[in-house]
Amino acid sequence: MTFGFRLEVAVLLGLLVAPATVHAQQELPVPLQAGAKSDVPVATQIMRWHMNDGDVNSFAFRNMDQLFTTRTVAHSGAPWRFPKVERPMDFTYSFGGTTYSAEQALERTYTNALLVLKDGRIVSEIYRNGSNEHTRFMGWSMTKSITSILVGAALEDGLISSIDDDITRYLPD
């Protein structure tokens, strides 16, 4: 065995044996270590911590059911389909002295999907970053708005006595 070969093997073995400070599993960042102990895997907690970061949000936002406990709510009856009258998004806008195209707006805002409705018709439906019409996305504030509409309708229909009722009156769990 030559000296060069032994050196290469030693270097290779050195790369395979991790130093004492490196762990096979991730560790929680210091700000998370102070919180309550969790049974959620460390890698999942770290992804939750970084889910809004631009380099992972495209993945995180369409995999929220993997990051958090979710429940699918079934629809009633056949879904109604919006008719399509697609139009190109051929606008520009200016911000901070720079003019941007529609495509640049999507890029600058980390948009994964965009649905534009006008007069009850889909005028633009765009999917990006590996998403498509079957991808499930979280609704963020849109969910709050729809929930408010439904609570108002349930109140008007007498299904909810008062908006001051405790939610557990209707959803005990």
Side-chain angles (χ1 to χ4, degrees), residues 107-126:
E107 189 63 29
R108 291 182 73 236
T109 58
Y110 302 99
T111 300
N112 291 316
L114 178 68
L115 180 68
V116 180
L117 297 169
K118 182 176 183 187
D119 300 325
R121 293 176 172 83
I122 296 173
V123 295
S124 187
E125 188 171 5
I126 298 169

Side-chain angles (χ1 to χ4, degrees), residues 91-102 104-105 108-109:
F91 68 86
T92 60
Y93 71 99
S94 295
F95 178 76
T98 303
T99 300
Y100 299 97
S101 68
Q104 289 170 318
R108 291 182 73 236
T109 58

Side-chain angles (χ1 to χ4, degrees), residues 3 8 11-12 15 19 21 30 38 40 52 56 66 71 76 90 104 113 126 140 148 159 167:
F3 174 75
E8 289 171 7
V11 169
L12 178 60
L15 292 174
T21 58
V30 173
S38 174
V40 175
N52 291 322
V56 296
Q66 301 298 310
R71 180 179 73 168
S76 62
D90 58 359
Q104 289 170 318
I126 298 169
W140 291 117
S148 297
L159 300 171
I167 189 67

Side-chain angles (χ1 to χ4, degrees), residues 63-83:
N63 289 285
M64 293 303 261
D65 58 340
Q66 301 298 310
L67 294 176
F68 297 95
T69 301
T70 61
R71 180 179 73 168
T72 300
V73 178
H75 59 78
S76 62
W80 183 73
R81 304 276 181 210
F82 285 99

